[in-house]
Amino acid sequence: MAAVGIIFGIIILLIAAFFVLGWIVPLIIGLVRRKQGKSCTALIVLGSVWGVMALLGAGVIGLGVYAFSMAESRWQTEEFDPSAYEGETAILETAHKGNATLVARVGEGESYSFSTDDGSFLVPADVIKPQSYSITAKGDDGKTWTASWWFYSAQNDPEADLTAVDRGNLDVGPPIIVKPSRRVLSEGRQSIDVSFTDAAGRSVRLSPPKPPVIQILDASGAAVWSHKMEYG
């Protein structure tokens, strides 16, 4: 399989090189034929148009690679190391007193990843702007669940200013509210949806160890329909 991948990569590179540099051949042939006094307009036009297209294509690809590298560097984070941090630090507490991970931008600077086992993060004493937050906890059956939040600078996104305090709170985490909804469609069909939010109304993604099962019960409590949520 590795050899096939290498061969495929070489073929792609050859095709790309032909597209980028192939215009030189008809252009040179055309110029040589013109110098010899022969008809060569078509070759010169072909080489010129091909060269312009190759230049534009290379520019678009270059801009795409640059944009991708900038986006990747923006979302790449490093684990915060308090021993290597030269500024003041503070404690940032959350509602979940257990295992959690926080990715946040510190002030107007870089983003860091913070981890905790008890819900208290050691962070720089600055304005902490969360980008993502996730917690793990075990259910009654002993299986581990993960709850995740993503923040996009919306109005109700949490933020903590620790510039003047040594301990603060981040308003994110449990309790998680599970809300089912039902919508009647045509021809007797119904649409059922389940949403997960926190107390502030922010969307939460729950990841169970295995697909959950949704059941519909009648007035007596008997299950009249069930569905394994394998695909969401």
Side-chain angles (χ1 to χ4, degrees), residues 95-114:
H96 177 68
K97 303 305 179 183
N99 186 275
T101 299
L102 172 69
V103 176
R105 185 174 299 277
V106 177
E108 299 300 327
E110 298 182 3
S111 296
Y112 292 96
S113 174
F114 307 92

Side-chain angles (χ1 to χ4, degrees), residues 35-224:
K35 189 175 182 180
Q36 295 174 346
K38 300 178 181 179
S39 177
C40 55
T41 302
L43 288 174
I44 294 176
V45 171
L46 174 62
S48 301
V49 173
W50 188 347
V52 172
M53 293 179 61
L55 180 62
L56 291 175
V60 171
I61 293 174
L63 287 175
V65 172
Y66 174 76
F68 177 79
S69 63
M70 291 296 292
E72 187 179 30
S73 63
R74 179 182 178 183
W75 289 106
Q76 281 184 341
T77 58
E78 60 177 306
E79 184 74 23
F80 179 67
D81 184 3
S83 62
Y85 185 69
E86 297 180 354
E88 298 292 329
T89 58
I91 300 296
L92 184 61
E93 297 183 343
T94 56
H96 177 68
K97 303 305 179 183
N99 186 275
T101 299
L102 172 69
V103 176
R105 185 174 299 277
V106 177
E108 299 300 327
E110 298 182 3
S111 296
Y112 292 96
S113 174
F114 307 92
S115 300
T116 179
D117 293 325
D118 59 7
S120 297
F121 296 95
L122 182 61
V123 300
D126 205 323
V127 177
I128 306 300
K129 303 176 181 179
Q131 295 172 313
S132 67
Y133 175 71
S134 63
I135 63 176
T136 58
K138 288 188 176 182
D140 295 336
D141 58 358
K143 302 294 185 179
T144 300
W145 286 64
T146 300
S148 305
W149 287 253
W150 283 270
F151 309 106
Y152 306 99
S153 300
Q155 186 173 3
N156 67 337
D157 283 354
E159 185 175 298
D161 188 350
L162 304 177
T163 54
V165 297
D166 57 5
R167 184 177 294 270
N169 291 285
L170 187 65
D171 181 24
V172 64
I176 297 173
I177 302 169
V178 182
K179 183 180 179 181
S181 60
R182 179 176 65 91
R183 185 162 57 95
V184 178
L185 305 177
S186 61
E187 300 178 357
R189 295 179 297 125
Q190 300 184 50
S191 174
I192 298 174
D193 191 19
V194 180
S195 64
F196 306 94
T197 59
D198 61 12
R202 308 184 193 98
S203 179
V204 183
R205 179 181 177 182
L206 290 182
S207 301
K210 60 181 180 179
V213 176
I214 183 172
Q215 288 186 332
I216 297 179
L217 310 179
D218 60 16
S220 65
V224 297

